[in-house]
Amino acid sequence: MIKNICFLLLLFIASTINAQTVTVTSIADDGTSGTFRWAIEQANNITLSINEINFNAGLTGIITLTSNLPNISETLTITGPGTSVISVSGNNLYKMFVVNAFKIVTVSGLTFKECAAQTGSIFYVNNSTVIANNILVTENTLSLPFFVSNGGSSISIANSTFSNNSSQLFGSDWGDTPSTTVDDSGYNNKISVTGSTFSGNSGVIF
């Protein structure tokens, strides 16, 4: 019993030591050290053991993308400072988060706006999972910023706001037709939105 406890304690300490956070210190999008693009690339580097991105206290403004962000290839938590503080803009041209298969991305405290005319230009989930909380989605005029692809994909959004969008927001290319007789666990490809506000939107939502 004592050996088991010691082993679990050592395992916990090792995982805590290996887990690292990288901090965004600039709203530029030129890939230099401290930018959001750079932080994602650092997190994708498996040898660095980075599992969280956060933002420097006092950093404010809009991160306007100059090209698609790198695909997210490792499980990652992105913790923003609040929807009124930092926004990510696709500049109506570029994709934000493409999540590679079998990875989980957790996002909170950011605004996403001006998505590209590409399917899944905010979250493209390919046999993977996105969990979002306290995000603001606004000023998107181009279609399908949220998209689940292939079986086993899930986007879950809670306590968020969708305002002043004029595009179709959500879509999927796979899965069963929704039914009133089957609970959520019966679907292997799904988007769920709970505890959230929709205001000033036009066009098709789902």
Side-chain angles (χ1 to χ4, degrees):
M1 176 67 119
I2 294 174
K3 284 184 177 179
N4 289 340
I5 292 172
C6 290
F7 173 76
L8 291 172
L9 182 61
L10 288 172
L11 188 63
F12 172 77
I13 292 171
S15 65
T16 302
I17 292 172
N18 288 332
Q20 296 188 46
T21 298
V22 63
T23 299
V24 177
T25 59
S26 170
I27 61 169
D29 189 48
D30 55 11
T32 57
S33 178
T35 61
F36 190 39
R37 181 180 300 277
W38 167 85
I40 292 173
E41 290 171 346
Q42 298 302 296
N44 282 342
N45 187 336
I46 192 170
T47 63
L48 298 180
S49 299
I50 291 169
N51 63 0
E52 182 173 359
I53 295 172
N54 61 22
F55 292 77
N56 196 48
L59 185 69
T60 63
I62 301 172
I63 300 170
T64 302
L65 300 186
T66 56
S67 62
N68 294 339
L69 286 174
N71 286 17
I72 296 177
S73 59
E74 296 297 323
T75 291
L76 179 64
T77 296
I78 301 171
T79 305
T83 57
S84 64
V85 182
I86 294 289
S87 299
V88 181
S89 168
N91 204 21
N92 294 315
L93 293 170
Y94 304 115
K95 279 191 172 185
M96 300 181 194
F97 305 114
V98 176
V99 184
N100 288 357
F102 312 119
K103 305 305 177 185
I104 301 172
V105 174
T106 303
V107 182
S108 62
L110 291 170
T111 288
F112 303 110
K113 58 193 294 187
E114 299 166 337
C115 70
Q118 303 175 50
T119 297
S121 57
I122 293 180
F123 297 150
Y124 186 95
V125 180
N126 179 20
N127 200 17
S128 51
T129 300
V130 166
I131 302 167
N133 184 64
N134 185 29
I135 64 171
L136 170 61
V137 179
T138 188
E139 299 175 35
N140 294 289
T141 62
L142 304 172
S143 192
L144 285 176
F146 302 97
F147 196 79
V148 285
S149 178
N150 297 318
S153 297
S154 173
I155 296 174
S156 175
I157 301 174
N159 308 313
S160 297
T161 300
F162 300 81
S163 66
N164 302 315
N165 302 286
S166 59
S167 64
Q168 180 179 339
L169 293 177
F170 306 100
S172 171
D173 69 353
W174 186 280
D176 303 318
T177 302
S179 166
T180 58
T181 60
V182 179
D183 64 26
D184 286 350
S185 64
Y187 302 106
N188 64 2
N189 206 57
K190 57 193 175 186
I191 299 173
S192 65
V193 181
T194 58
S196 298
T197 300
F198 290 79
S199 65
N201 301 292
S202 61
V204 176
I205 300 296
F206 283 90

